[in-house]
Amino acid sequence: MASRAQRMPKSLRITSSAFVILWFILAAFPFVWTVWGSFKVELDFFSIADWTNAITGERTEAVYGSPFTMTGYAGAWIQEEFWRNVLNTGIVCFFVVTISLTIGTLGGYALSRSSYNYTFWLLITALIFRAMPPITLVAGYLLPFFEWNVWGILPTTIIVLVAINQPFTLWMLHSFFKNIPSELDESAKVDGCNQFQAFRRVIIPVMWPGVITTGLFSFLLAYNDFAVGAMLLSESNRTMVPAIAAFLGTTQTEGNVMFAVAAVVSATVPLFLLVMFFQRQIVGGLTAGAVKG
């Protein structure tokens, strides 16, 4: 039997294929162009006189004897010590994901098995807080952080990011738990498990796709954060995104655009590889959360 794609009219197949190819080119072009340009000097990559210099690397070759140079990466990672910002980001992401998933799984499971009326209003309240702009919550934390002399350190940023992310993890994991029959809990209790043992030994193994999906979204929130880190972290404790913005300079300080370009590529490539590696878990988790039964 011919597949559905083979039964489609030839003209429609050609049009669909052309659209997918065009979409892929448009989506991939900015990233590919940035990666290519990160090995050039600024006068080539941002050339106004002749944009083809970004391809040929004419001025890069004149300065370094090659159309490619690692100067941007060396400046960002060694001169500006971008590795410290990467380390700070790793610490923030680890604790945000760990705390968010711990609270989210316990809270989502408890709410999914609760029969009390306050469950609905608690979830609605969490949704309202999630809908608020993150900058609003950050502004509310500034005064106590200054008074307690804890501004500028990583734990304060972790606390705020968990507070911003927790309603999302609670809602998402709650929907996953609702799709798991409560009969599994009852069967585990019949076999001698208490409530927590049933949760840990029976429910969580079934929930892994949802946990991984929620964890990845929590990771992306902390990894790509700018507003919270920019307002709550001192210069020595900056995470990657605020540090990249600082490379561009301000009206008072001169920046280096190529350092920023190299840092953007350094931050994006691991993220791209991570999403590609967990793509099946992401799709499986989202599908499991969207389909009942």
Side-chain angles (χ1 to χ4, degrees), residues 26-248:
L26 292 176
F29 175 77
F31 178 69
V32 174
W33 183 256
T34 304
V35 173
W36 179 272
S38 66
F39 298 100
K40 310 294 182 183
V41 297
E42 184 176 346
L43 291 177
D44 274 338
F45 190 44
F46 295 97
S47 177
I48 300 176
D50 187 359
W51 67 270
T52 59
N53 288 342
I55 299 176
T56 61
E58 180 179 330
R59 291 187 174 92
T60 306
E61 187 169 8
V63 176
Y64 296 101
S66 171
F68 300 98
T69 177
M70 296 291 292
T71 304
Y73 291 92
W77 283 85
I78 299 175
Q79 180 179 329
E80 299 294 335
E81 297 185 331
F82 186 63
W83 61 270
R84 294 183 183 273
N85 309 119
V86 174
L87 180 61
N88 291 336
T89 300
I91 294 172
V92 170
C93 289
F94 173 79
F95 283 103
V96 168
V97 172
T98 302
I99 297 173
S100 296
L101 285 183
T102 301
I103 299 175
T105 51
L106 294 173
Y109 175 70
L111 292 174
S112 68
R113 297 297 186 260
S114 175
S115 59
Y116 292 103
N117 293 330
Y118 69 78
T119 301
F120 171 78
W121 295 108
L122 184 61
L123 290 171
I124 290 297
T125 304
L127 184 62
I128 293 173
F129 276 101
R130 185 65 183 89
M132 294 174 61
I135 198 69
T136 304
L137 296 175
V138 176
Y141 281 105
L142 281 175
L143 182 59
F145 284 166
F146 278 126
E147 290 183 348
W148 300 334
N149 197 28
V150 293
W151 179 89
I153 59 177
L154 295 179
T156 58
T157 300
I158 293 171
I159 291 172
V160 176
L161 286 176
V162 169
I164 294 172
N165 185 54
Q166 201 60 68
F168 167 77
T169 58
L170 197 63
W171 261 95
M172 195 164 187
L173 289 169
H174 171 265
S175 66
F176 284 124
F177 282 122
K178 288 291 287 186
N179 291 332
I180 298 177
S182 58
E183 287 77 9
L184 288 178
D185 307 62
E186 298 170 2
S187 299
K189 292 178 181 178
V190 170
D191 292 336
C193 294
N194 57 34
Q195 189 71 50
F196 181 74
Q197 288 174 331
F199 167 75
R200 181 170 62 88
R201 297 179 180 178
V202 178
I203 304 300
I204 284 297
V206 180
M207 268 287 296
W208 269 122
V211 173
I212 293 175
T213 303
T214 308
L216 283 173
F217 279 110
S218 302
F219 174 83
L220 292 175
L221 170 77
Y223 193 88
N224 296 321
D225 168 69
F226 172 75
V228 177
M231 293 189 67
L232 295 183
L233 290 176
S234 62
E235 182 177 352
S236 59
N237 289 325
R238 280 176 181 156
T239 50
M240 287 192 297
V241 179
I244 292 172
F247 288 159
L248 298 174

